[in-house]
Amino acid sequence: MDKHYLTPLFSPESIVVFAGKVDDPATQTTQGKALHHALRAQRYSGTLTFLDIHTSGTLAELAQTRADLAIIALPPQDLAAALEVAGRMACRAALVISSGIDVDKAAELKRIAHREGVHLLGPNGLGLQRPQLQLNASAAGPLAKAGSLALVSQSGALTSSILDWASNNGVGFSSVVSLGPNTSVDIAQVLDFLANDAQTQSIVVYLEGISNARRFMSALRSAANAKPVVVLKAGRKPAGNEAAQTHSGAIVGSDDVFDAALRRAGAVRVRSFVQLFSAAKCLASRYRPVGRRLAIVTNGGGPGVLAADWVNEIFLHLGKLSPESVRALRPLLPELASLSDLIDLSEEATPEHYRVAIEAACKDRQVDGVLAIYSPKVGADPSEVARALVEVKRSMGKPLLSCWMGDTSVVMARSILNEAAIPSFRTPEAAVGAFGNIASFYQNQQLLLQTPPPLSALAKPDIEGARLVIESVLAERRNVLTEMESKTLLASFHIPVTKTILARSAHEAMMIATQLGFPVALKIDSPDISHKSDVQGVALNIMNGATARDTYTDMVQRVTRLQPNARINGVTVQNMASARRGREIYIGLVTDDPFGPVIAFGAGGTMIELIDDRAMELPPLNQFLARRLIERSRVAETLGEWRGASAVNMDALEQVLLRVSEMVCELPQLREMDINPIIVDESGAVAVDARIVIGHAPQAVNGRANNYNHLAILPYPARYEHVWPQRGGGEYTVRPIHPDDADMLQDLMHHLSSESRYFRFVSSIVELPPSMLARFTLIDYDREMALVAVFKERVAGPDGEILETKRIVGVSRYITNPDQSSCEFALVVADDFNGKGLGSRLMQSIMDVAREKGLTEMDGLVLANNPAMIKLMKGLGFGVKPFAEDPDFKLVTHAL
């Protein structure tokens, strides 16, 4: 039960192959012929059996054979029969290598696989490679060189191209997986396996589309949390949505949303095939940059300047040596060397000069990575300089990239660099771009670690009141809220709005304006007009009652003439925002297919489409994410002290974003939203205008009115937090785990007895490795759950003062099994808390969560020599029976 459920597919010990008779066109496809050759070209480490469903015996005889994996490369009419045979042979996984299989045939294969309990990869893909197992189950060409990089591709042609390129660039792979359309095992499941695969240190993905955003984001976040993931996506769509009814819907395109999703998942996106190759080179070298400061070591000023220009172009920082490093390095370099910005060694640079310069940059704390550029010089040997880099790389802890310019004279040098796994590029721009892409991984990891709850710590909103407004609008069969209704919704979530009153006649407009106080603004109120300015439906700075009356009449007549079919409710009257030097901001919401609601931020006002300033983030937000969202917009440059205006109140602006995030989480009916403009200055922020589009909420899952199923990222489930009394006095808090618990979880591990550690991990492990600690603390609350018991205690400080500390004293967790109906649990309790009822409480709490999720059974493995755990399980109603695969364990199960 500790093996991944796709282990039979990717690490099979035995394989049966259905690929037809060799050289028989009736039974063998082009892919089958290629598969025969690929499998036999090297010695596979497991057992390999070739069968023909037409001539190898009866169905009953074939079923006597047993294998982990069935590989099927047959004509379309034989695929279903072969898959059924694989099921009867107890194969736990099947790989169908084929092309041109339509949706109906693929669905039939998926039904057979589900019925037989087989994990099916395919059809319409080129198969897979596992070089370290000497397994080439593909029609993608020769087996790749073994390495630590995994390739997952939704294009067969691109898979073959990358493998061909890799063979000449010293790049090896742990796995190569080709996924075609309509495959049963999808990209999310493959990523989930690779996240847990010890052979894989980094992942490159070529993506054309996804079918389930929640599953994709879950798997991608899990993978990117454990190792770098670089994604190239094809099919970028132009920004815009023809059906949009708000500014946000009009200027936000699906490609922008995909960018936001990848950032939030902690992955890095590249935008070209060349960049993908560049990233693959860096990942194959296992580089892990933790910053954006790149030092450039060069023997020519021109190439160095080109590299520095590109550093600025892609928002990296030029890594400069500290004064101490400069003083130490200067005597070791040629007299003409320059160390002011670039580390320019001059044309007199020797291999030794490169070595000492790179070593100095590596040791400098102001540098995160080094790019060595070499331009051919008469009488110099490029290969000797390359060997100097190979030597210095052995002791480097920072990324080292190279750019050997030219062609004929540097071929041998590039070969030396490739063999040493030093990424080599032909141009300075390509090298800098590769560092930039991988450096983005660190930045995006900070976004990945954010796990906000659906509601912030601000004052509780009136969620029920907001829902009543939405229900009344839907009851009238409307989808677009009026300005009054939109502002009511905002006010329910404590977003400041200008006081707005609807006038239904010119006389009412005059009286309302006089009572509010001048100046006022008048705006047409119509559910059929998306953009009021387009029909001259906005009048500002009205200074007296008579003008308000006349403006009302003129506006209604003008709008009626321009939009004769529009329903006009009247004209809203509101105070003009008082901020003289306020900035106009917009905050919006758009619903994307497939990622769901996305929050947009940028410059507001009437020229919003022309300015086209948008930064995007997937909800939910916290203060860190809100601040980063603001920083990514172009308007952010104007929010500080700007042209004589004071800096705006950033806290107020961030609070509006947090409130919008709350609205998106708690109101699944929202489809589009414009808050434009929001006037923000040093005193605060106020929404001047708003327009909201709604629809019916998605159907509730498991009976819950709001399980946040409309979001691509599940919020932190704060509702599971409870305080419980401790047997013998005191209390502890049981709550879901989050990434900030890593140190406390490691501390629990350190203080467990060796027996407790062995009972939990079935090993003598003393400390959780960083990858395991990350996997245990950053979880996908949709498919798994971990509850921690946190105990507060008072201890004496170094000066005798009393300090309150927190420690994790127990953890219960489950992860959903592939059948999506059952789950496997684990439990550990601190030794000094045994016998206090904590284990029972943690198990009951985790069972309640699993039950609420709709799971029907919980199971786990307990060591047979752990009587205390077995007694606890029996007391909770678990059935206990022998585990057929290993007599040292007991299988415990409980129906939920």
Side-chain angles (χ1 to χ4, degrees), residues 104-124:
D104 293 337
K105 186 66 175 178
E108 179 190 0
L109 296 176
K110 188 173 183 178
R111 285 193 298 270
I112 295 171
H114 181 73
R115 185 185 70 223
E116 300 292 341
V118 173
H119 298 295
L120 173 62
L121 179 64
N124 297 325

Side-chain angles (χ1 to χ4, degrees), residues 137-149:
S138 77
L143 182 66
K145 173 185 173 184
S148 62
L149 177 64

